[in-house]
Amino acid sequence: MSDERPEHSTGGVYSVPGQEYTRDDRYLATRITADGRDGFPVEPGRYRLIAARACPWASRVIIVRRLLGLESALSMGLAGPTHDARSWTFDLDPGGRDPVLGIERLQEAFFARDPHYSRGITVPAIVDVRSGAVVTNDFAQMTLDLELEWTAHHRPGAPDLYPERLRDEIDQVNRRVYAKVNNGVYRCGFAGSQDAYDAAYRSLFDGLDWLEERLTGQRYLVGDTITEADVRLFTTLVRFDAVYHGHFKCNRTKLTEMPALWAYARDLFQTPGFGDTVDFAQIKEHYYVVHTDINPTGIVPAGPDLSGWLHPHGREQLGGRPFGDGTPPGPVPDGERVAAAGTPLG
């Protein structure tokens, strides 16, 4: 993939006429580990997470970082919600430059890693501050490594989001949710033919119906506490009515019309570390402005009404302990709060 090809937050290619959407999953797979086996040991202050609140894959990492209390060990820079064909940009920062890396475009950090880099310029990415080069943009591995490799820097009371006894089940659920739901909405939105769209649509709602049934009788996806699986599903659900239902033609049913899923999503949204990271204004601006092939006018819809996210969810009756033996994260650090216009929690 050329770096000049329009690239969106997922790292996948746009639809090709007559074909189904296929994600480009060729990520920089270098890992930051406790033993430094890939040449990048865990070190507080050495790395910077570059994310965007608009992007569901980056939002996973934002949530996990907050739940684990890694803010002081791993700084975070936020790209703006829109970008051009070249790269995500730091237009939210004074002067349009990331204050730590000193760059205007995330592309610069990818080219510092490889001057001939030709794949997607994607978020999330973790950058080595010393060299200014991207270490990894492998979003799926990134959260697992924050959970398993950065344990020495977790806050007291940090939850176990990937408990060993549940890992096989979490992995199985994650694979199904990714194929049918996380990536499924994109397969609908960027389908290149009616047949491709119809197949993606059926698969998506097959996955959502399975989740509706599963979550009718249990509070969380795996076990009785929040895990990696819940984080991965939440970032798709929180965008569903705001963008996927209309913009991506995922319109059989709204999230608000699926009782268990809607209550489950509200339960997580109202849990510290989830809703307080969500910026609906940036989410809508990204999808409706950047995806000009789907929305050529660039008009951002005024709705939906967000007040429902704060309505009581009643999921406590199913039991469960959100943080297990741990505790909720503290207040959002200064400088990382979502603007009041972006979330009903404002």
Side-chain angles (χ1 to χ4, degrees):
M1 179 188 299
S2 168
D3 62 275
E4 295 180 353
R5 182 183 181 89
E7 177 63 36
H8 52 85
S9 62
T10 67
V13 298
Y14 282 95
S15 55
V16 177
Q19 298 181 19
E20 69 176 51
Y21 168 80
T22 302
R23 181 174 302 283
D24 181 358
D25 59 1
R26 298 171 299 156
Y27 300 105
L28 295 170
T30 308
R31 294 175 59 190
I32 300 169
T33 58
D35 63 7
R37 55 186 175 272
D38 283 2
F40 293 95
V42 170
E43 293 181 22
R46 176 172 174 178
Y47 307 100
R48 185 160 176 82
L49 168 66
I50 301 300
R53 295 196 189 277
C55 171
W57 319 100
S59 292
R60 296 178 177 185
V61 190
I62 294 173
I63 291 170
V64 168
R65 172 179 173 270
R66 171 147 163 68
L67 293 177
L68 299 179
L70 288 170
E71 292 96 337
S72 62
L74 177 64
S75 69
M76 180 172 69
L78 292 172
T82 62
H83 53 73
D84 58 21
R86 290 172 58 195
S87 176
W88 293 87
T89 56
F90 295 100
D91 46 283
L92 300 177
D93 293 306
R97 290 184 178 273
D98 178 83
V100 173
L101 301 175
I103 58 177
E104 295 180 327
R105 295 176 173 274
L106 181 56
Q107 183 186 57
E108 297 173 54
F110 278 84
F111 286 171
R113 167 74 181 258
D114 177 2
H116 304 291
Y117 184 82
S118 60
R119 288 171 271 170
I121 308 296
T122 63
V123 290
I126 296 182
V127 178
D128 179 12
V129 176
R130 297 177 185 175
S131 65
V134 170
V135 177
T136 179
N137 65 335
D138 186 347
F139 64 89
Q141 186 62 47
M142 201 177 291
T143 52
L144 297 179
D145 283 345
L146 291 182
E147 292 154 8
L148 301 179
E149 301 291 338
W150 290 69
T151 54
H153 308 288
H154 289 181
R155 66 177 175 85
D160 185 353
L161 299 175
Y162 197 50
E164 188 169 4
R165 63 184 178 84
L166 297 176
R167 286 177 194 171
D168 287 346
E169 186 177 359
I170 291 171
D171 291 345
Q172 291 172 9
V173 168
N174 283 346
R175 283 192 291 270
R176 186 168 185 171
V177 169
Y178 172 81
K180 289 184 171 290
V181 180
N182 299 145
N183 194 45
V185 293
Y186 287 90
R187 291 180 61 233
C188 289
F190 290 115
S193 70
Q194 187 69 51
D195 287 345
Y197 167 75
D198 290 345
Y201 179 95
R202 289 192 297 269
S203 178
L204 168 64
F205 283 99
D206 175 72
L208 289 172
D209 288 343
W210 174 75
L211 288 165
E212 177 74 13
E213 181 178 359
R214 183 180 182 94
L215 289 166
T216 296
Q218 62 190 63
R219 188 170 180 185
Y220 302 111
L221 274 176
V222 182
D224 66 349
T225 64
I226 291 168
T227 68
E228 170 82 11
D230 299 295
V231 175
R232 294 189 181 200
L233 176 58
F234 173 78
T235 60
T236 297
L237 294 183
V238 81
R239 288 162 173 78
F240 198 86
D241 286 5
V243 289
Y244 300 146
H245 180 270
H247 184 57
F248 278 178
K249 307 180 184 69
C250 302
N251 60 356
R252 189 202 75 180
T253 315
K254 293 179 180 177
L255 177 64
T256 55
E257 296 167 344
M258 295 179 271
L261 275 169
W262 175 222
Y264 164 82
R266 296 200 312 277
D267 187 3
L268 290 178
F269 186 88
Q270 295 170 32
T271 299
F274 285 84
D276 54 27
T277 70
V278 174
D279 191 318
F280 283 109
Q282 289 196 24
I283 288 169
K284 292 198 300 180
E285 184 180 358
H286 170 72
Y287 283 90
Y288 285 104
V289 171
V290 171
H291 298 160
T292 54
D293 51 344
I294 298 176
N295 187 42
T297 65
I299 294 172
V300 180
D305 178 10
L306 301 177
S307 61
W309 283 99
L310 298 182
H311 290 173
H313 52 75
R315 298 281 290 179
E316 302 92 341
Q317 65 184 350
L318 295 173
R321 302 172 300 147
F323 298 98
D325 295 329
T327 58
V332 179
D334 291 341
E336 295 192 8
R337 294 186 181 90
V338 175
T343 169
L345 293 177

